[in-house]
Amino acid sequence: MVTRNEGSLDRATRVIVGVLLVLGAMSGVIGLWGYVGIVPVVTGSFGYCPAYSLFGIKTSSTNNVA
């Protein structure tokens, strides 16, 4: 089990921005780099960001387990 390190607002923002990037790439508006939006969608869905752990960042107020 992995401890969540993303708060609710952080998670929602990641998913929304990630989906918008992927949709932009799929429609050809922003180019292939938009598929990088898959990363924030996945991290937002799980509530865990490996980069946050690396730098000791935590936006979650509780120690929920994902």
Side-chain angles (χ1 to χ4, degrees):
M1 294 283 183
V2 177
T3 302
R4 289 187 178 162
N5 60 3
E6 296 175 355
S8 298
L9 180 61
D10 189 4
R11 293 178 70 188
T13 303
R14 285 171 181 263
V15 171
I16 291 167
V17 170
V19 167
L20 290 174
L21 283 171
V22 171
L23 289 175
M26 290 174 68
S27 66
V29 173
I30 61 172
L32 292 176
W33 67 269
Y35 286 108
V36 75
I38 293 170
V39 173
V41 169
V42 171
T43 59
S45 297
F46 287 106
Y48 176 76
C49 177
Y52 275 12
S53 292
L54 183 65
F55 294 108
I57 300 169
K58 183 177 176 186
T59 61
S60 176
S61 59
T62 61
N63 288 329
N64 295 334
V65 176

